[in-house]
Amino acid sequence: MILYEYPFNERIRTYLRLEHLLHRLSSLLAHTAALDHHFALVTLFEIMDMAGRIDIKTDVLKDLENHKAYLSAQRGNPAIAQEALEAFAGYVENAFSALKRQHGKPCSQLTEDDWLMSVRSRIFIPGGTCSFDLPAYHAWQEGHADARLADLSRWTSHLQPLANALALLLHMLRDSGTPQMAQAQQGQFQHALPQGRQVQLIRLSLPKKMNVVPKISGNRLLISIQFMQQLAGNKSAPVADDVAFELALCS
C-alpha cells in the first residue's frame, strides 16, 4: 500500500514538512559516507530555515497544552482505561516540559557557531562548498566518519525536544481517524465532511500496483479526489474505472 496525506490547515502542513525533513535527517545520519553527512547538513539548515521563519515552538506548545487539558478532563471517565490515560498524559507532559525548557527557537543556539554558519552561507550556492571555497569544510568531510557523526549528533540534539513533540502530536492526530473502505466512481470521489468535527488531515491508502495517483482538494465542508493514471513519459490522465481505496479522516 502507498499512503497519501492531505493537511487542511497551514499548521498541519508545517508539522508534516518538518516531520519529512526530520525523517530524512535521521536516515542520512544512519550512514557514514561524507556525502550523506553533507546532505544531513543541508537538511539541518532547511529545518533551521523553517524554524526561523515561523514560531513553530509556540504552535506545538499550544497544541500540547490543549491535549493536556483534554486528557485531564477525561480523568474519572468510566469509559476510558485510567491507567492508559495517565501513561499517555505523562508522555504529553514530558514532551511539553522538554520543549518549554528549551530557550529561544529550536536551533537558535546553532547560529552562534561561526564555522557552521560559514558552511550555511554557501551550501545553497551551486558548487559553493568546493574545497577552494571552504577549505575547513573540505577538511571536515575528509576527516574520520566518527568525528563527523559526533559533530552532527551534537548539532541535531537541539532538535530533539521539537522532534519528540511533533511525533507525539502527529501520532495522536493520525490515531484519531478510523480507516474505512471507499470507492471512487469512474475515478472521482466526493465526501461531505461531518458537521461539528474539524477534520485536520486526510489519510488515503491504495495498492501500489494500481499505478494511480490521487489529486486531493478540500475545505471544511467537502473533500474531492480525482484519481489520475500514470502513463509513459511521466504523463497522466484521469482514471475512467472505479477505484477502491482506504480513507481516514483525522481531527
Side-chain angles (χ1 to χ4, degrees):
M1 301 291 283
I2 184 168
L3 172 68
Y4 296 90
E5 293 186 321
Y6 181 83
F8 268 77
N9 57 62
E10 193 59 34
R11 190 179 79 264
I12 302 301
R13 289 187 186 94
T14 299
Y15 288 179
L16 292 176
R17 287 170 180 150
L18 277 171
E19 180 191 52
H20 171 74
L21 291 172
L22 289 164
H23 282 173
R24 186 209 296 171
L25 181 60
S26 178
S27 297
L28 290 166
L29 292 178
H31 302 282
T32 58
L35 186 60
D36 290 309
H37 294 168
H38 168 79
F39 284 107
L41 272 181
V42 171
T43 305
L44 175 61
F45 293 143
E46 288 185 61
I47 295 170
M48 290 176 65
D49 287 342
M50 284 197 69
R53 288 197 304 266
I54 54 177
D55 198 355
I56 183 69
K57 180 179 175 181
T58 299
D59 287 341
V60 171
L61 286 173
K62 182 178 179 181
D63 281 347
L64 289 172
E65 189 73 64
N66 290 338
H67 281 292
K68 285 172 58 180
Y70 174 78
L71 292 170
S72 179
Q74 298 306 311
R75 288 189 170 99
N77 186 336
I80 296 177
Q82 294 300 301
E83 185 176 346
L85 175 69
E86 292 300 329
F88 206 78
Y91 298 146
V92 175
E93 180 60 43
N94 290 340
F96 179 86
S97 299
L99 185 58
K100 192 170 185 179
R101 282 196 303 267
Q102 192 176 45
H103 296 295
K105 294 183 178 181
C107 299
S108 60
Q109 300 93 328
L110 297 181
T111 60
E112 300 172 7
D113 188 317
D114 293 338
W115 184 90
L116 199 58
M117 291 304 97
S118 69
V119 177
R120 183 186 184 186
S121 68
R122 297 199 60 84
I123 206 165
F124 294 111
I125 299 173
T129 56
C130 286
S131 61
F132 56 84
D133 285 312
L134 290 173
Y137 181 57
H138 180 65
W140 182 80
Q141 289 183 295
E142 291 295 319
H144 199 278
D146 288 344
R148 292 196 305 270
L149 280 170
D151 287 335
L152 288 165
S153 296
R154 186 176 75 256
W155 295 326
T156 57
S157 66
H158 296 283
L159 294 172
Q160 205 56 54
L162 176 62
N164 292 342
L166 274 177
L168 184 60
L169 285 175
L170 288 173
H171 169 74
M172 289 188 287
L173 177 59
R174 288 167 173 142
D175 202 45
S176 69
T178 302
Q180 296 182 341
M181 292 304 300
Q183 183 160 290
Q185 303 292 332
Q186 297 181 329
Q188 296 189 13
F189 177 83
Q190 286 191 337
H191 179 71
L193 295 177
Q195 294 185 0
R197 181 184 175 194
Q198 187 179 6
V199 175
Q200 298 192 71
L201 181 71
I202 290 175
R203 309 188 81 210
L204 185 155
S205 300
L206 67 164
K208 293 182 180 180
K209 64 181 181 180
M210 293 181 65
N211 195 33
V212 298
V213 175
K215 293 178 65 176
I216 306 172
S217 60
N219 53 47
R220 61 186 181 86
L221 300 176
L222 182 76
I223 60 170
S224 179
I225 304 171
Q226 169 73 65
F227 287 91
M228 306 295 291
Q229 182 77 42
Q230 297 300 102
L231 305 176
N234 291 323
K235 296 182 180 179
S236 61
V239 174
D241 299 326
D242 294 349
V243 177
F245 61 97
E246 193 174 78
L247 182 69
L249 305 179
C250 306
S251 59

